Amino acid sequence: FCFRVAKLFDTANLSYILPTHRATIYLIGVLVGYWLRNMRKIHLNKIAVGVGWTVAIALGLLAMCGPYHMARLHYRYNPEDAALYNAWSPIVWSGFLVWVIFATEQGYGGVVGDLLRWKGFIVFTRVAYAVYLTQFPIFFYNVGTTRHSHYYRPYM
């Protein structure tokens, strides 16, 4: 089956364009940044670190794989499934990210922390915002040059 392009645009507009739809995750990020900047070193035992990583990995997998059933070929669209996923997934994913950042900052990151501290990422962090800003002109150019309505198919 296929979706009309107009329906995909409506979904994108309702999900991504309005800043209120990103306010929760933005506020979580600001609060965590403030908390990390103003807190002292927290000493955790190995059990607490293990529990933290277990819960964080579970949250990350839940955010990424939780809606797996919605990607199946014969899935019938259910607005409740979509609404639950769109409402909770960013918050659950942020729980995963908060732990990863906290653990790395506090020295409990292990291999993940070592990877995140890699000096090569400095280049990416310096250009990331500029690349982010260029996506909108490119996106709107492609939308503006579309001359007729297409149907979305996975191979397009």
Side-chain angles (χ1 to χ4, degrees):
F1 72 94
C2 57
F3 293 103
R4 291 183 44 83
V5 172
K7 187 69 170 171
L8 293 174
F9 284 141
D10 290 343
T11 301
N13 284 335
L14 292 172
S15 298
Y16 301 113
I17 300 300
L18 297 174
T20 55
H21 293 186
R22 295 183 305 277
T24 304
I25 193 68
Y26 177 78
L27 289 174
I28 289 171
V30 168
L31 291 173
V32 168
Y34 178 79
W35 177 60
L36 286 172
R37 184 166 176 87
N38 294 315
M39 76 173 186
R40 294 184 184 96
K41 173 81 171 157
I42 296 176
H43 297 285
L44 300 175
N45 61 29
K46 288 185 179 190
I47 294 173
V49 173
V51 168
W53 277 108
T54 302
V55 170
I57 290 169
L59 289 174
L61 289 173
L62 180 63
M64 289 191 327
C65 303
Y68 174 76
H69 67 284
M70 291 191 279
R72 293 184 176 219
L73 183 62
H74 299 293
Y75 173 75
R76 279 199 159 314
Y77 178 75
N78 182 349
E80 290 174 5
D81 283 347
L84 283 172
Y85 176 72
N86 285 328
W88 287 104
S89 180
I91 296 168
V92 171
W93 182 251
S94 72
F96 166 73
L97 292 177
V98 165
W99 173 260
V100 170
I101 293 167
F102 167 78
T104 301
E105 183 72 21
Q106 293 292 314
Y108 302 114
V111 176
V112 175
D114 293 341
L115 177 67
L116 292 176
R117 286 189 191 108
W118 179 53
K119 300 289 184 202
F121 283 134
I122 291 173
V123 174
F124 297 112
T125 60
R126 301 261 164 86
V127 299
Y129 190 66
V131 171
Y132 167 75
L133 290 176
T134 62
Q135 76 178 346
F136 289 108
I138 293 169
F139 174 74
F140 289 127
Y141 171 80
N142 288 331
V143 169
T145 58
T146 302
R147 298 288 179 218
H148 59 283
S149 179
H150 293 281
Y151 286 92
Y152 173 78
R153 288 187 174 42
Y155 59 83
M156 292 178 68

